[in-house]
Structure formats: C-alpha cells, structure tokens
Amino acid sequence: MRQSRRCSRSGCAQPAAATLTYVYAESMAVVGPLATFSEPHSYDLCEFHAERLTVPRGWEVVRHEIDLEDVGPTGDDLLALADAVREAARPEPARDPADDGRGTRRGHLRVLPDLP
C-alpha cells in the first residue's frame, strides 16, 4: 500500500505528486517524480506547486516528467520481486566431491588454471 505524503508548502494539504531537490553548486532546482521515501534535503510538492515552481534569478529548473497515474508497483513488478526472493532463498546445490581438477569452484564462479 502506498503511503500518502502531503505537499511541503505551508498551508497546502494536497497529496504530494513530485519531489523537489536543489543542486546549490550548479544553481539548479530539479523537480521530478515523487521519491520513494521522504528525504531530509528534498521537498514533496503537489501537482499545483510543482508546475508553478519559481527559482531565484540566475538559477535553472530541470523538470522531469511526472506520471500522476503512477499508483506504485505493477503486478509484474511484484511477481519479479517474488521470483528474485525465491531464487535467493533456494539452497545451493551440493558440490561434486569428484571435481575434475580443471578449476577451483568458489560460489557460482570457477577459477580456471592457465593453459600451457
């Protein structure tokens, strides 16, 4: 379930739709899709405030596309995550005690000797 964050602007109770960050060294403000979680040096903005953002003279605003219909992970995303967890939890196959001597096995990698 997606957590509901509110716009950081004073007096605005609208849900956040974008995240604003600053790059002070380059005099740049970046407005992009809502970050996965709230960061201490960024600001969540509603659609209204994200579109009408102004910056100090001499600064540049970089705007990344904001998908307001994005409601979080899709079913495919969740299935891929579940498959990855299953794969990581699968026990390692037993090692063959009769290694043919053509290399040393370490985890999923094989170190091969130099050929003459």
Side-chain angles (χ1 to χ4, degrees):
M1 188 167 133
R2 186 175 216 176
Q3 76 180 34
S4 178
R5 298 194 319 243
R6 299 285 175 203
C7 182
S8 297
R9 295 289 301 258
S10 298
C12 184
Q14 295 297 312
T19 296
L20 166 67
T21 55
Y22 293 102
V23 182
Y24 289 98
E26 297 179 18
S27 300
M28 183 182 302
V30 180
V31 179
L34 187 62
T36 307
F37 54 92
S38 184
E39 300 256 351
H41 300 290
S42 64
Y43 302 91
D44 294 334
L45 299 175
C46 65
E47 180 182 4
F48 177 84
H49 287 118
E51 289 176 357
R52 289 160 183 81
L53 175 76
T54 60
V55 294
R57 187 175 303 153
W59 279 56
E60 181 182 353
V61 178
V62 175
R63 295 179 190 274
H64 294 281
E65 184 177 334
I66 300 167
D67 184 7
L68 297 175
E69 300 301 316
D70 181 19
V71 292
T74 65
D76 289 341
D77 294 335
L78 296 175
L79 286 174
L81 180 60
D83 289 342
V85 169
R86 272 190 227 106
E87 183 68 29
R90 189 173 293 154
E92 286 189 32
R95 293 190 177 166
D96 184 9
D99 192 349
D100 60 5
R102 285 190 268 158
T104 305
R105 188 159 175 87
R106 301 211 176 156
H108 66 282
L109 302 175
R110 181 177 294 273
V111 178
L112 298 175
D114 290 334
L115 297 174

